[in-house]
Amino acid sequence: MKKPLVVLLTICFHFVCLAQEKPNIVLLFADDAGYADFGFQGSKEMKTPNLDKLASQGVRFTQAYVTHPTCGPSRAGLITGKYQYRFGYEENNVPTYMSKVSAVDGPEMGLPLGEVTVADYLKEQGYVTGFFGKWHLGGADRFHPTKRGFDEFYGFRGGARSYFEYTESPKEPLNKMEQGFGNFEEHNGYLTDALAQETSEFIEINGKAKKPFFAFLSFNAVHTPMDAKAEDLDQFPHLTGKRKIVAAMTLALDRAIGKVLDKLKELGLDDNTIVVFTNDNGGPTDANASSNHPLSGIKATHLEGGIRVPFLMKYPGTLKPGTVYGKPISTFDLLPTFYSAAGGNTKNLKGLDGVDLIPYLMGKTKGRPHETLFWKRDARAAMRKGDWKLIRFPDRPAELFYLPEDERELNNLADSEPERVRKMYKELFVWETTLERPRWLLKKVYERRDVERTDAFWPKYKPD
């Protein structure tokens, strides 16, 4: 009897060890940051030593895209692993000015309850899940992070708030700080630092308990309002105005990320933790003085500067440090990538548009993760097919660009490639016919504003 018992115990120990080897996952998510505003992206103005170090330890992606050029829809695509247009999440989720525009207004706008989130999937794999920071996926209680797969929440349900504590109730109630569900209490100090502290405590508790965890740290930095600490502003004496403030806010963002990464190292978890850093959309240069150089466009536009974002991934023992990946990916790839790393079989994921990136990054799967990518808002839309990009406008003919030779999108090739335009235009329309109608709509004045912003931040219309 002893030998079978020994064998059984050995097998059990083996499976326990395997369970403990599930990688922890930390997603660091910035808000409204400029494509160029990090040292690892070539900035000489910004000070981002912690992110620069992370870039040297993992993979830097040069053609990473979001699913939408504005906050709410971009988050909806990331957290569900699919185009949010498929479930009608096409317009922005901003409760403050939506009254009497749609059938669904204010806090009633949110991520449909039938959609499964990355947190739901990771909980199935035995993960403890925590969300820290800006939610912006629905203000009503039924949309709360703790009802969408997250065990813990510390942050605010809205889209933009002060970085310092409110002494009076904010004009928008969804921007009040909240611990868990319904426990509203303002933070102490500077919010970017506070979010890092809460995330670090979550990591420490679950790390010491040897429970695999998923921490989604969703900063509101560097979104407006332009709030910065005096000591951070002092680090940029050569800058002025909003550019000085966004530099200070970016420094605070990097410091907060460093605190989280240091906690992983302190606990001996950094060698078994996937760390991803990215951003929700292009920087809104007109609002926060962010830079998307060398790309044209800003937040809310379908130019590369509105939809291409910085993206880093560290996966010790799996991905080679200090490498660069140059094929197009999307933030909706994070869900299947995390799920697979957690031990899940991606064949069980139904209806997703994202793919597991790891086989591509390791060279096991050839080709591109995505041959075709789409973006849409109202009458505007864009499509990337291979290295060609088509942009459809509401006020002019569609334009075509060949990105390897023209990443600034200055040379419209539509006239010289009429057949390609015709085929891509038709494919874009066919894709649109598979989508749900938007669940809510912005006032038309905002769509006109964003078309004007496209031209204002496109060098072909505005000289450098």
Side-chain angles (χ1 to χ4, degrees), residues 20-197:
Q20 292 176 339
E21 290 174 359
K22 285 179 179 285
N24 305 302
I25 302 170
V26 175
L27 175 56
L28 306 166
F29 201 55
D31 189 3
D32 277 10
Y35 182 76
D37 282 345
F38 302 93
F40 67 86
Q41 292 287 88
S43 176
K44 302 300 182 184
E45 290 183 333
M46 300 297 179
K47 298 179 180 180
T48 56
N50 293 296
L51 282 168
D52 298 347
K53 182 178 179 181
L54 180 64
S56 71
Q57 296 172 334
V59 181
R60 180 172 66 88
F61 296 74
T62 60
Q63 297 193 65
Y65 290 96
V66 290
T67 62
H68 197 275
T70 52
C71 301
S74 175
R75 285 165 168 74
L78 183 157
I79 209 167
T80 60
K82 63 175 73 170
Y83 287 113
Q84 66 283 354
Y85 316 104
R86 294 196 184 280
F87 46 87
Y89 206 129
E90 180 178 321
E91 299 283 3
N92 204 356
N93 188 12
V94 185
T96 53
Y97 55 71
M98 300 303 295
S99 178
K100 299 180 181 178
V101 177
S102 305
V104 178
D105 283 323
E108 298 306 309
M109 299 184 296
L111 186 71
L113 300 183
E115 297 301 324
V116 184
T117 72
V118 60
D120 291 321
Y121 284 116
L122 290 176
K123 279 178 68 70
E124 290 178 4
Q125 297 301 311
Y127 280 65
V128 181
T129 57
F131 190 96
F132 306 90
K134 172 178 172 176
W135 177 239
H136 210 205
L137 288 171
D141 287 350
R142 66 182 180 280
F143 300 128
H144 195 271
T146 58
K147 299 180 185 296
R148 308 312 303 268
F150 289 97
D151 297 305
E152 295 190 24
F153 172 62
Y154 178 79
F156 58 101
R157 304 187 196 186
R161 59 151 290 145
S162 170
Y163 289 75
F164 301 102
E165 66 177 293
Y166 288 117
T167 56
E168 299 179 357
S169 183
K171 180 179 179 181
E172 175 49 68
L174 298 182
N175 289 329
K176 295 187 293 186
M177 290 299 294
E178 185 176 10
Q179 178 90 54
F181 178 77
N183 181 23
F184 296 98
E185 183 177 346
E186 283 297 291
H187 64 290
N188 293 318
Y190 191 66
L191 182 54
T192 304
D193 294 326
L195 295 177
Q197 178 62 34

Side-chain angles (χ1 to χ4, degrees), residues 225-408:
M226 303 295 287
D227 291 339
K229 298 170 69 174
E231 54 265 42
D232 292 334
L233 289 166
D234 289 343
Q235 296 297 310
F236 302 92
H238 57 295
L239 299 178
T240 60
K242 288 184 178 180
R243 189 62 180 164
K244 182 186 186 81
I245 301 173
V246 78
M249 295 171 74
T250 303
L251 177 62
L253 171 70
D254 185 79
R255 179 178 61 245
I257 287 171
K259 182 179 182 67
V260 172
L261 298 179
D262 286 347
K263 178 59 68 174
L264 291 171
K265 188 173 182 63
E266 173 193 325
L267 297 171
L269 301 173
D270 54 333
D271 284 339
N272 190 39
T273 301
I274 299 171
V275 179
V276 171
F277 169 77
T278 189
N279 187 45
D280 63 345
N281 44 247
T285 308
D286 53 354
N288 68 359
S290 52
S291 171
N292 297 315
H293 181 80
L295 308 176
S296 298
I298 62 172
K299 175 182 179 176
T301 77
H302 287 138
L303 295 168
E304 291 291 284
I307 56 177
R308 197 193 295 191
V309 292
F311 195 109
L312 303 174
M313 180 183 292
K314 175 187 175 185
Y315 191 172
T318 298
L319 301 181
K320 185 179 178 181
T323 57
V324 176
Y325 188 76
K327 296 175 182 176
I329 67 157
S330 173
T331 49
F332 59 38
D333 295 324
L334 289 173
L335 189 156
T337 300
F338 292 164
Y339 182 74
S340 176
N345 186 343
T346 55
K347 292 182 179 179
N348 296 329
L349 301 176
K350 306 300 182 185
L352 267 59
D353 295 297
V355 300
D356 178 9
L357 293 174
I358 303 304
Y360 292 92
L361 300 177
M362 296 181 69
K364 294 181 179 179
T365 301
K366 306 300 180 181
R368 300 169 181 248
H370 302 283
E371 181 63 24
T372 308
L373 291 168
F374 299 99
W375 299 268
K376 172 177 167 55
R377 186 159 120 175
D378 203 89
R380 290 185 292 140
M383 171 188 179
R384 174 166 178 162
K385 190 173 186 64
D387 288 324
W388 293 87
K389 182 178 174 186
L390 180 79
I391 305 180
R392 189 183 71 198
F393 301 93
D395 63 342
R396 73 200 75 170
E399 299 193 18
L400 179 72
F401 305 97
Y402 185 62
L403 294 178
E405 298 176 359
D406 183 26
E407 68 176 357
R408 299 190 75 191

